Amino acid sequence: MATALVALHGYKIPKEKIKLVHMRVDGDPNDPTKRQLFDWPQTDAYLQYLSNALDLELFVIWGDMSLEERIRERGMFPSSNCRFCTSYTKRDVYTKWVRQFDNCKILLLTGERSEESTARAEKPEFMYHPAQATGKKNRVVHWLKPIKSMLKFQVRQLAADFGVALHPCYEWVSRCSCKFCIFNTATEMQKTSALFPEDWEYLKQMEWDLDHTMKRKKDMPLLKKIKFRCFYKYEKRKRGLKYGHHECF
């Protein structure tokens, strides 16, 4: 949302040259074999609202495999050191989509901000995108993060200044990522587990199925704040589920 506003009102890019592109991590929403586990159900309506409000063309794309399928294939959940959720279901999907265009110049704008994490602060603000192809393809793709230095309150003020509503998920979480993102705080995870109890139970069962847990450290605050944590943690130890690379909630 913020990047689109910057493109329109900051860089003054003509509307006909701007495309809104969203990558679904749960895959094809019409495929009954793919559970809509990580995408926020409000996102589709919000994207349509944003497209109409800004008068911008919208593209919603996804990969052949959903995030759940990737997790089961790898036998593990994503982590801060191995964020295959981003690489497989977002970055690679976008790259494949862009490669259909030749003889063009593309500027990708994304909304990462330095305030969100040390890792994001260390990333470059401007670079070539992997979809770039010289020679016969003649595809130039630059990647810019125009709100990298902005603070959260500045992003909210930007939206308010132009009368654009925020995604509904901000009522429960601080970042518009997956509803069960590995970086959600304990409080945020508690809220989303209450909002989507069936998906929450399904996610817990995935831990048993994989013999692998989603969170990393046994003493992290999240364990103390989810109401059923004590019994769940006790049962895991009792039944010998290994904590390994991650940890349960």
Side-chain angles (χ1 to χ4, degrees), residues 84-127:
F84 61 86
C85 48
T86 298
S87 59
Y88 281 133
T89 64
K90 297 180 183 179
R91 185 184 63 209
D92 290 355
V93 171
Y94 175 79
T95 299
K96 181 180 179 180
W97 181 78
V98 165
R99 283 176 175 156
Q100 68 181 296
F101 306 110
D102 296 334
N103 299 308
C104 61
K105 292 182 178 180
I106 298 173
L107 177 62
L108 168 64
L109 304 180
T110 57
E112 298 94 330
R113 296 185 301 108
S114 296
E115 183 186 31
E116 293 172 327
S117 70
T118 301
R120 290 194 169 186
E122 294 174 350
K123 297 289 185 179
E125 186 173 353
F126 184 68
M127 60 184 290

Coordinates of all heavy atoms in Angstrom, one line a residue, residues 84-127:
F84 N 12.5 -20.1 3.6 CA 12.1 -20.6 2.3 C 10.6 -20.2 2.0 O 10.2 -20.3 0.9 CB 12.3 -22.1 2.2 CG 11.5 -22.9 3.2 CD1 10.2 -23.3 3.0 CD2 12.1 -23.4 4.4 CE1 9.5 -24.1 3.9 CE2 11.4 -24.1 5.3 CZ 10.1 -24.5 5.0
C85 N 9.9 -19.7 3.0 CA 8.5 -19.2 2.8 C 8.6 -18.0 1.9 O 7.8 -17.9 0.9 CB 7.9 -18.8 4.1 SG 8.9 -17.8 5.2
T86 N 9.6 -17.2 2.1 CA 9.7 -16.0 1.2 C 10.3 -16.4 -0.1 O 9.8 -15.9 -1.2 CB 10.6 -15.0 1.9 OG1 10.0 -14.5 3.1 CG2 10.9 -13.8 1.0
S87 N 11.3 -17.2 -0.1 CA 12.0 -17.5 -1.4 C 11.1 -18.3 -2.3 O 11.0 -18.0 -3.5 CB 13.3 -18.3 -1.1 OG 13.0 -19.5 -0.4
Y88 N 10.4 -19.3 -1.8 CA 9.6 -20.2 -2.7 C 8.3 -19.5 -3.1 O 7.9 -19.6 -4.3 CB 9.4 -21.5 -2.1 CG 10.5 -22.5 -2.1 CD1 10.9 -23.2 -1.0 CD2 11.2 -22.7 -3.3 CE1 12.0 -24.1 -1.0 CE2 12.2 -23.6 -3.4 CZ 12.6 -24.3 -2.2 OH 13.7 -25.2 -2.3
T89 N 7.6 -19.0 -2.2 CA 6.2 -18.6 -2.4 C 6.1 -17.1 -2.8 O 5.0 -16.7 -3.2 CB 5.3 -18.9 -1.2 OG1 5.7 -18.1 -0.1 CG2 5.4 -20.4 -0.9
K90 N 7.1 -16.3 -2.6 CA 7.0 -14.9 -3.0 C 8.1 -14.5 -4.0 O 7.7 -14.2 -5.2 CB 7.2 -14.0 -1.7 CG 6.1 -14.2 -0.7 CD 6.3 -13.4 0.5 CE 5.2 -13.6 1.6 NZ 5.4 -12.8 2.8
R91 N 9.3 -14.6 -3.7 CA 10.4 -14.1 -4.6 C 10.4 -14.9 -5.9 O 10.5 -14.4 -7.0 CB 11.7 -14.2 -3.9 CG 12.9 -13.6 -4.7 CD 14.2 -13.8 -4.0 NE 14.5 -15.3 -3.8 CZ 15.2 -15.7 -2.8 NH1 15.7 -15.0 -1.9 NH2 15.5 -17.0 -2.7
D92 N 10.4 -16.3 -5.8 CA 10.5 -17.1 -7.0 C 9.3 -17.0 -7.8 O 9.4 -17.0 -9.1 CB 10.8 -18.6 -6.6 CG 12.1 -18.8 -6.0 OD1 13.0 -17.8 -6.0 OD2 12.4 -19.9 -5.5
V93 N 8.1 -16.8 -7.2 CA 6.9 -16.7 -7.9 C 6.9 -15.4 -8.7 O 6.5 -15.4 -9.9 CB 5.7 -16.8 -7.0 CG1 4.4 -16.4 -7.7 CG2 5.6 -18.2 -6.4
Y94 N 7.3 -14.3 -8.1 CA 7.4 -13.1 -8.8 C 8.4 -13.1 -10.0 O 8.1 -12.6 -11.1 CB 7.7 -11.9 -7.8 CG 7.9 -10.6 -8.6 CD1 6.8 -9.8 -8.9 CD2 9.2 -10.1 -8.9 CE1 7.0 -8.6 -9.6 CE2 9.4 -9.0 -9.6 CZ 8.3 -8.2 -9.9 OH 8.4 -7.0 -10.6
T95 N 9.5 -13.7 -9.7 CA 10.6 -13.8 -10.7 C 10.1 -14.5 -11.9 O 10.3 -14.1 -13.1 CB 11.8 -14.5 -10.1 OG1 12.3 -13.7 -9.0 CG2 12.9 -14.6 -11.2
K96 N 9.4 -15.6 -11.7 CA 8.9 -16.4 -12.8 C 7.8 -15.6 -13.6 O 7.8 -15.6 -14.9 CB 8.2 -17.7 -12.3 CG 7.7 -18.6 -13.4 CD 7.0 -19.9 -12.8 CE 6.5 -20.7 -13.9 NZ 5.9 -22.0 -13.3
W97 N 7.0 -14.9 -12.9 CA 6.0 -14.0 -13.6 C 6.6 -12.9 -14.4 O 6.2 -12.7 -15.5 CB 5.1 -13.4 -12.5 CG 4.0 -12.6 -13.0 CD1 2.8 -13.0 -13.6 CD2 3.9 -11.2 -13.0 NE1 2.0 -12.0 -13.9 CE2 2.7 -10.8 -13.6 CE3 4.8 -10.1 -12.6 CZ2 2.3 -9.5 -13.8 CZ3 4.4 -8.8 -12.8 CH2 3.1 -8.5 -13.3
V98 N 7.6 -12.3 -13.9 CA 8.3 -11.2 -14.6 C 9.0 -11.7 -15.9 O 9.1 -11.0 -16.9 CB 9.3 -10.5 -13.7 CG1 10.2 -9.6 -14.5 CG2 8.5 -9.7 -12.7
R99 N 9.5 -12.9 -15.9 CA 10.2 -13.5 -17.0 C 9.4 -13.7 -18.3 O 10.0 -14.0 -19.3 CB 10.9 -14.8 -16.6 CG 12.2 -14.5 -15.7 CD 12.8 -15.8 -15.2 NE 14.0 -15.5 -14.5 CZ 14.6 -16.3 -13.6 NH1 14.0 -17.5 -13.3 NH2 15.7 -15.9 -13.0
Q100 N 8.1 -13.4 -18.2 CA 7.3 -13.5 -19.4 C 7.5 -12.2 -20.2 O 7.1 -12.1 -21.4 CB 5.8 -13.7 -19.0 CG 5.2 -12.5 -18.3 CD 3.8 -12.7 -18.0 OE1 2.9 -12.8 -18.8 NE2 3.5 -12.7 -16.7
F101 N 8.0 -11.1 -19.6 CA 8.2 -9.9 -20.3 C 9.6 -9.7 -20.8 O 10.6 -9.8 -20.1 CB 7.8 -8.7 -19.3 CG 6.5 -8.9 -18.7 CD1 6.4 -9.1 -17.3 CD2 5.3 -8.7 -19.4 CE1 5.1 -9.3 -16.7 CE2 4.1 -8.9 -18.8 CZ 4.0 -9.1 -17.5
D102 N 9.7 -9.4 -22.1 CA 11.0 -9.1 -22.7 C 11.0 -7.7 -23.3 O 10.0 -7.0 -23.5 CB 11.3 -10.1 -23.9 CG 11.4 -11.5 -23.3 OD1 11.7 -11.7 -22.1 OD2 11.1 -12.5 -24.1
N103 N 12.2 -7.2 -23.6 CA 12.4 -5.9 -24.2 C 11.7 -4.8 -23.4 O 10.8 -4.1 -23.9 CB 11.9 -5.8 -25.6 CG 12.6 -6.8 -26.5 OD1 13.8 -6.8 -26.6 ND2 11.9 -7.7 -27.2
C104 N 12.0 -4.7 -22.1 CA 11.3 -3.8 -21.2 C 12.2 -3.4 -20.0 O 13.3 -4.0 -19.8 CB 10.1 -4.5 -20.7 SG 10.4 -6.0 -19.7
K105 N 11.8 -2.4 -19.4 CA 12.5 -2.0 -18.1 C 11.4 -2.0 -17.0 O 10.4 -1.4 -17.1 CB 13.0 -0.5 -18.3 CG 14.2 -0.5 -19.2 CD 14.8 1.0 -19.3 CE 16.0 1.0 -20.2 NZ 16.5 2.4 -20.3
I106 N 11.8 -2.7 -15.9 CA 10.8 -2.9 -14.8 C 11.5 -2.4 -13.5 O 12.6 -2.7 -13.2 CB 10.4 -4.4 -14.7 CG1 9.7 -4.8 -15.9 CG2 9.6 -4.6 -13.4 CD1 9.4 -6.3 -16.0
L107 N 10.7 -1.7 -12.7 CA 11.2 -1.2 -11.4 C 10.2 -1.9 -10.4 O 9.1 -1.6 -10.3 CB 11.1 0.3 -11.3 CG 11.5 0.8 -9.9 CD1 12.9 0.5 -9.5 CD2 11.3 2.4 -9.9
L108 N 10.8 -2.8 -9.6 CA 10.0 -3.5 -8.6 C 10.1 -2.7 -7.3 O 11.2 -2.4 -6.8 CB 10.6 -4.9 -8.3 CG 10.1 -5.6 -7.1 CD1 8.6 -5.9 -7.1 CD2 10.9 -6.9 -6.9
L109 N 9.0 -2.3 -6.7 CA 9.0 -1.6 -5.4 C 8.4 -2.5 -4.4 O 7.3 -3.1 -4.5 CB 8.1 -0.3 -5.5 CG 8.4 0.7 -6.6 CD1 7.4 1.8 -6.6 CD2 9.8 1.2 -6.5
T110 N 9.1 -2.7 -3.3 CA 8.6 -3.5 -2.2 C 8.7 -2.7 -0.9 O 9.5 -1.8 -0.8 CB 9.4 -4.8 -2.1 OG1 10.8 -4.5 -1.9 CG2 9.2 -5.7 -3.3
G111 N 8.0 -3.2 0.1 CA 7.8 -2.4 1.3 C 8.6 -2.7 2.6 O 8.2 -2.4 3.7
E112 N 9.8 -3.4 2.4 CA 10.6 -3.7 3.6 C 11.1 -2.4 4.2 O 11.4 -1.4 3.6 CB 11.8 -4.5 3.2 CG 11.5 -5.9 2.6 CD 11.4 -5.9 1.1 OE1 11.0 -4.9 0.5 OE2 11.7 -7.0 0.5
R113 N 11.2 -2.4 5.6 CA 11.6 -1.2 6.3 C 12.7 -1.6 7.3 O 12.7 -2.7 7.9 CB 10.5 -0.6 7.1 CG 9.4 0.0 6.2 CD 8.3 0.7 6.9 NE 7.7 -0.1 7.9 CZ 7.9 0.0 9.2 NH1 8.7 0.9 9.7 NH2 7.2 -0.8 10.1
S114 N 13.7 -0.8 7.5 CA 14.8 -1.0 8.4 C 14.4 -1.2 9.8 O 15.0 -2.0 10.6 CB 15.9 0.1 8.3 OG 16.4 0.2 7.0
E115 N 13.3 -0.5 10.2 CA 12.8 -0.6 11.5 C 12.3 -2.0 11.9 O 12.3 -2.4 13.1 CB 11.6 0.4 11.7 CG 11.1 0.5 13.1 CD 9.8 1.4 13.2 OE1 9.1 1.4 12.2 OE2 9.6 2.0 14.2
E116 N 12.0 -2.8 10.9 CA 11.4 -4.1 11.2 C 12.4 -5.1 11.7 O 12.0 -6.0 12.5 CB 10.7 -4.6 9.9 CG 9.5 -3.8 9.4 CD 9.0 -4.3 8.1 OE1 9.8 -4.7 7.2 OE2 7.8 -4.1 7.8
S117 N 13.6 -5.1 11.3 CA 14.6 -6.0 11.8 C 16.0 -5.6 11.4 O 16.2 -4.8 10.4 CB 14.4 -7.4 11.2 OG 14.7 -7.5 9.9
T118 N 17.0 -6.1 12.1 CA 18.4 -5.8 11.8 C 18.8 -6.3 10.4 O 19.5 -5.7 9.6 CB 19.3 -6.4 12.8 OG1 19.0 -5.9 14.1 CG2 20.8 -6.1 12.5
A119 N 18.2 -7.5 10.1 CA 18.5 -8.1 8.8 C 18.0 -7.2 7.7 O 18.7 -7.1 6.6 CB 17.9 -9.5 8.7
R120 N 16.8 -6.7 7.8 CA 16.3 -5.8 6.8 C 17.0 -4.5 6.7 O 17.2 -4.0 5.6 CB 14.8 -5.6 7.0 CG 14.0 -6.9 6.8 CD 12.5 -6.6 6.7 NE 11.8 -7.8 6.2 CZ 10.5 -7.9 5.9 NH1 9.7 -6.8 6.0 NH2 9.9 -9.0 5.4
A121 N 17.5 -4.0 7.8 CA 18.2 -2.8 7.8 C 19.5 -2.9 7.0 O 20.0 -2.0 6.4 CB 18.5 -2.4 9.2
E122 N 20.1 -4.1 7.0 CA 21.4 -4.3 6.3 C 21.2 -4.6 4.9 O 22.2 -4.6 4.1 CB 22.1 -5.5 7.0 CG 22.5 -5.2 8.5 CD 23.1 -6.4 9.2 OE1 23.0 -7.5 8.6 OE2 23.6 -6.3 10.3
K123 N 20.0 -4.9 4.4 CA 19.8 -5.1 3.0 C 19.9 -3.8 2.2 O 19.6 -2.7 2.6 CB 18.4 -5.7 2.8 CG 18.2 -7.1 3.4 CD 19.0 -8.2 2.7 CE 18.6 -9.5 3.3 NZ 19.4 -10.6 2.6
P124 N 20.4 -3.9 0.9 CA 20.5 -2.7 0.1 C 19.1 -2.1 -0.2 O 18.2 -2.9 -0.3 CB 21.2 -3.2 -1.1 CG 20.9 -4.7 -1.2 CD 20.9 -5.1 0.2
E125 N 19.1 -0.8 -0.4 CA 17.9 -0.2 -0.8 C 17.6 -0.3 -2.3 O 16.4 -0.2 -2.7 CB 17.9 1.3 -0.3 CG 16.6 2.1 -0.5 CD 16.7 3.5 0.1 OE1 17.7 3.8 0.7 OE2 15.8 4.2 -0.1
F126 N 18.6 -0.4 -3.1 CA 18.4 -0.4 -4.5 C 19.4 -1.4 -5.1 O 20.6 -1.5 -4.7 CB 18.7 1.0 -5.1 CG 18.5 1.1 -6.6 CD1 17.2 1.0 -7.1 CD2 19.5 1.3 -7.4 CE1 17.0 1.1 -8.5 CE2 19.3 1.4 -8.8 CZ 18.0 1.3 -9.3
M127 N 18.9 -2.3 -6.0 CA 19.8 -3.3 -6.6 C 19.1 -3.8 -7.9 O 18.0 -3.5 -8.2 CB 20.0 -4.5 -5.6 CG 18.7 -5.1 -5.2 SD 18.9 -6.4 -3.9 CE 19.7 -7.7 -4.9

